[in-house]
Amino acid sequence: MKSKPSVSEILHHMGEDSLPLNAVSPPIFQTSIFCFESFEKFQEALADESSHFLYSRGNNPTVNLCESKLAALEHADSAKLVSSGSAAIALSILAFVKKGDHVVMVEDAYSWTRYMVTDYLSRFGVEHTFVEGKDPRDFERAIKSNTTLFYLESPTTLTFKLQDLKAVARIAKVHGIKTVIDNTWATPIFQNPIDLGIDVVVHSASKYIGGNSDLVAGVIAGSMEDINHIFNTEFLPLGPAPDPFMAWLIMRNLRTLHIRMPVHFENAKKVCRFLQDNPKVESVLYPFAAGYDQADLAVSQMRGGSGLFSFMLKTRSRDDVKLFVNSLHLFKRAVSWGGYESLVFPAAVKFADDQEIPAGKLPLIRLHIGLEDADELISDLKQALDKIS
Ligand SMILES: *Cc1c(COP(=O)(O)O)cnc(C)c1O
């Protein structure tokens, strides 16, 4: 068997040795349609859009080159680029359920992912059960005769709970249930769920794959059969086509993915150590932090961690939380993550001033640790922590 191409080969060379006019940077095929030299060729393309260039809502050469790299990175046969991570998630869920089916989902999944089962699929008679997911038996116990899909996100991106991917995939296989995982946090640099038996991997490429906070995109990776199924039954009719320029931007940003991720990892570990030793901090939620309750599982299924984690302040004062957040200079106050820059997202910001904040949410601060100098980030956190009780 041919050995898998290295990450560098995928990011820097794959599919790029015979570009038009010997261009080094892949050309952007900014075209909506492709034409045919004859009736017969036209007929052929219409009969099988998944393997022809016909219309850019389906395939586009710039997009396809990017997809071949994303598939290889995830050790998948095939991948589809879509217009957002949420589109990737919606398509992957919709493709594997029909009226009367049942989905088991991790309860701390991304908010719009939860919405898909609580508000969207419920309109079409699809049931769901949320599970914590730290114990693989959570999934097993939730199975019903009509369960067709397990939806995972490991780790979850506010509470950082992991699922044992191998064990959950094994349970799913026994019961003929499809598995979809959101792998946005770890990226394919640090975790390859398909190698552990998971069927379909989705990403918000708006995070590390894009890596520069300058685009919104999503990825779906899996077997040829599953991706073709999603292409024909969901992608073509719903129409979340990626723009060729966006695919080009992703390829450009991907070239540094394997360099960026270890820096996020080292920086995050340093900042975690500082926070764990700071008297104003109650606890740190990072799978690779010293003493983390799922540290063994983290090491067994991931080669490293990214720059996103949460921590709990000791204070229970809303004013302290605001003062801390407002005192930061290097951390930008914003949603999302995965770019070069550090960000702060306090869980309390989702609540109006006259609204009660659940006890576990008030002191919860999520940080994205960017590519800046870790010591400078630590100094910034220190001066802000020094201001609160
Ligand atoms: C951001 C995010 C999404 C949604 O992706 P978009 O590109 O914003 O649509 C899904 N899952 C996770 C874990 C995310 O962080």
Side-chain angles (χ1 to χ4, degrees):
M1 207 173 90
K2 191 174 170 293
S3 63
K4 288 201 177 94
S6 71
V7 168
S8 167
E9 201 177 329
I10 296 166
L11 299 183
H12 306 127
H13 299 292
M14 194 177 154
E16 296 184 47
D17 46 9
S18 54
L19 294 175
L21 306 176
N22 296 324
V24 168
S25 174
I28 301 170
F29 286 90
Q30 194 67 41
T31 182
S32 59
I33 52 175
F34 300 85
C35 58
F36 301 92
E37 64 206 40
S38 66
F39 179 99
E40 290 76 12
K41 296 269 186 214
F42 198 176
Q43 197 176 31
E44 232 175 78
L46 273 166
D48 177 17
E49 187 165 352
S50 69
S51 52
H52 289 88
F53 296 120
L54 172 78
Y55 186 43
S56 283
R57 174 155 50 77
N59 286 310
N60 171 282
T62 312
V63 171
N64 288 18
L65 177 57
C66 181
E67 288 169 350
S68 67
K69 289 173 186 283
L70 293 164
L73 280 177
E74 274 300 4
H75 303 174
D77 298 338
S78 184
K80 198 73 208 96
L81 193 61
V82 293
S83 57
S84 72
S86 299
I89 290 162
L91 264 53
S92 315
I93 294 175
L94 288 169
F96 300 116
V97 293
K98 60 178 187 325
K99 183 179 170 189
D101 286 348
H102 173 244
V103 178
V104 182
M105 179 177 279
V106 284
E107 62 189 358
D108 289 349
Y110 182 69
S111 52
W112 290 107
T113 307
R114 282 181 54 99
Y115 176 91
M116 272 302 292
V117 294
T118 55
D119 290 68
Y120 194 93
L121 285 179
S122 59
R123 286 162 44 197
F124 303 99
V126 177
E127 311 178 287
H128 65 276
T129 302
F130 284 123
V131 295
E132 187 192 32
K134 284 169 82 172
D135 182 342
R137 285 170 299 186
D138 293 349
F139 286 89
E140 194 156 38
R141 282 189 285 257
I143 294 174
K144 300 195 205 182
S145 59
N146 54 343
T147 306
T148 56
L149 179 65
F150 283 174
Y151 187 95
L152 295 78
E153 187 179 309
S154 185
T156 54
T157 57
L158 187 63
T159 52
F160 299 91
K161 292 177 187 168
L162 282 76
Q163 297 104 58
D164 182 333
L165 306 193
K166 222 187 236 176
V168 175
R170 207 180 299 129
I171 294 165
K173 289 234 155 63
V174 170
H175 296 270
I177 294 168
K178 274 280 171 203
T179 43
V180 173
I181 188 172
D182 185 329
N183 197 30
T184 304
W185 187 84
T187 81
I189 298 299
F190 290 144
Q191 176 166 267
N192 294 116
I194 287 174
D195 292 345
L196 302 173
I198 299 292
D199 296 315
V200 174
V201 175
V202 294
H203 284 279
S204 168
S206 323
K207 313 295 161 57
Y208 292 112
I209 288 176
N212 289 264
S213 303
D214 55 6
L215 62 87
V216 172
V219 182
I220 311 169
S223 69
M224 198 62 83
E225 190 189 346
D226 284 344
I227 299 301
N228 277 343
H229 170 66
I230 293 170
F231 182 87
N232 288 310
T233 63
E234 319 296 335
F235 178 77
L236 284 177
L238 295 179
D243 181 80
F245 179 60
M246 181 261 273
W248 182 86
L249 272 179
I250 290 182
M251 281 190 277
R252 186 170 79 155
N253 297 347
L254 267 182
R255 298 202 195 279
T256 56
L257 182 67
H258 63 313
I259 296 171
R260 288 185 274 120
M261 295 316 298
V263 179
H264 287 293
F265 186 30
E266 290 308 315
N267 277 0
K269 282 190 291 189
K270 268 192 203 166
V271 175
C272 275
R273 277 196 294 274
F274 159 76
L275 290 172
Q276 284 185 312
D277 290 341
N278 189 284
K280 306 284 174 67
V281 173
E282 189 174 277
S283 58
V284 170
L285 304 175
Y286 186 62
F288 292 89
Y292 198 64
D293 70 337
Q294 292 186 290
D296 290 345
L297 179 60
V299 172
S300 78
Q301 62 189 18
M302 293 189 282
R303 294 178 289 276
S306 66
L308 188 81
F309 66 85
S310 295
F311 71 99
M312 302 285 262
L313 289 167
K314 275 194 186 144
T315 184
R316 292 298 182 265
S317 142
R318 228 182 239 233
D319 289 341
D320 266 348
V321 171
K322 286 184 187 176
L323 179 61
F324 169 73
V325 170
N326 286 335
S327 301
L328 291 166
H329 303 302
L330 298 179
F331 288 81
K332 294 181 168 72
R333 288 157 285 273
V335 296
S336 192
W337 41 277
Y340 56 88
E341 76 287 19
S342 290
L343 303 169
V344 58
F345 179 86
V349 78
K350 280 196 164 182
F351 298 86
D353 276 342
D354 57 0
Q355 227 180 336
E356 175 126 19
I357 304 177
K361 288 269 170 77
L362 174 63
L364 183 69
I365 308 284
R366 190 180 74 181
L367 295 180
H368 177 251
I369 306 302
L371 302 173
E372 303 97 326
D373 184 283
D375 293 329
E376 290 174 20
L377 295 175
I378 287 170
S379 305
D380 192 30
L381 288 165
K382 182 169 186 322
Q383 61 81 25
L385 287 166
D386 284 346
K387 292 204 171 98
I388 65 169
S389 57

